[in-house]
Structure formats: C-alpha cells, structure tokens
Amino acid sequence: MKIDHVHLYVNNLEVAEVWYKEVLGFVRDESLLFWFTQGGPLVLKNNEAALSLFERRHQSPGHTVAFTIKPCYFSELMKTLSSRAIPFTVSDHQVSMSVYFEDLAENKIEMTSYEYHEARKNIQSYYGKAFI
C-alpha cells in the first residue's frame, strides 16, 4: 500500500493552485482534469505525489488521506470494516473505485484503485450482486 493522494480543502482553488505550483512545484494532472470540469477536485501532481484540491464549502477543517490498494483487497477490506461496525461508502469514479471511512479520531480515509474493472468486480463480490 502507498499513499495515493491527499484531499485538501482550500478557500480559493485558483490561488491554491498557483501557491502549490510556485512553492512546491505541483502542476495539473491533465489526465484527471475531466473530474474538475465535472465539479470534482482539481488534481495536482509532482512526480509521485498527488493532491486533490477541493473548494471549501461546508467541510470542517481536516483532510482525507487516500491510499492505493490492489483491487483484490476491496472485499476483504469491506468485510473487516463491517465486522468492526465501521461505516463505509463506496464510490465509482468511472476511472477508479474507492471505499471511504473514518478512523477512531474521525480522520477521513479513502482506499482506492485505478484498476477499475477488477476493483469494481471485487467490490461487487462483497455485495454478492451488482451495486449502483
């Protein structure tokens, strides 16, 4: 497992994009720009590091850490979360699949895979049927 990206909630996307570019060398990930144009995050990259910038609207201070996992681990992860009564949600991002939950201190965690079809199939196996 490795950290895939961090969600950062900012007050002004344009100002934040310039700051991260000028100070830390982050640039837009053009391959994921469609998410931003559809109302999602603005993804910035610097080599292997990635940030997903969201304009702060109603979010309280705090961030989300996203980890990359192999698609085969999704059903095992969801079984573990369920057995510990940890609520989770699944999101189909059309190019990736993600499971979201919180740790004991209410820090947001995202487990994600860009091996879309295999991840979706593994998540469906947890439910025993197709999910929406």
Side-chain angles (χ1 to χ4, degrees):
M1 179 182 339
K2 69 175 188 167
I3 292 178
D4 185 72
H5 65 278
V6 176
H7 294 205
L8 296 177
Y9 297 92
V10 300
N11 294 324
N12 183 306
L13 284 171
E14 292 174 6
V15 170
E17 179 181 13
V18 170
W19 190 91
Y20 278 100
K21 180 178 183 177
E22 292 178 353
V23 175
L24 297 174
F26 279 84
V27 295
R28 287 185 178 193
D29 182 340
E30 296 294 331
S31 70
L32 298 175
L33 191 58
F34 71 93
W35 274 342
F36 179 62
T37 62
Q38 295 173 356
L42 176 60
V43 180
L44 305 179
K45 293 197 89 164
N46 182 340
N47 295 311
E48 294 296 314
L51 303 174
S52 291
L53 300 183
F54 293 85
E55 190 157 1
R56 184 181 307 281
R57 293 194 176 100
H58 304 291
Q59 297 85 2
S60 57
H63 309 289
T64 301
V65 177
F67 296 93
T68 297
I69 63 170
K70 293 184 183 284
C72 61
Y73 294 128
F74 274 114
S75 61
E76 181 181 328
L77 169 67
M78 293 185 294
K79 287 176 189 173
T80 299
L81 295 172
S82 292
S83 72
R84 295 173 181 258
I86 299 171
F88 65 88
T89 60
V90 174
S91 290
D92 181 339
H93 300 297
Q94 305 301 308
V95 294
S96 67
M97 295 296 299
S98 296
V99 173
Y100 295 90
F101 56 99
E102 295 179 354
D103 70 7
L104 294 173
E106 298 182 5
N107 293 301
K108 311 288 188 261
I109 299 176
E110 174 185 0
M111 304 301 279
T112 193
S113 175
Y114 293 92
E115 295 177 56
Y116 176 76
H117 296 291
E118 188 177 341
R120 185 172 169 84
K121 183 177 177 181
N122 190 268
I123 290 170
Q124 287 176 334
S125 73
Y126 168 79
Y127 289 108
K129 61 179 180 179
F131 70 100
I132 298 173

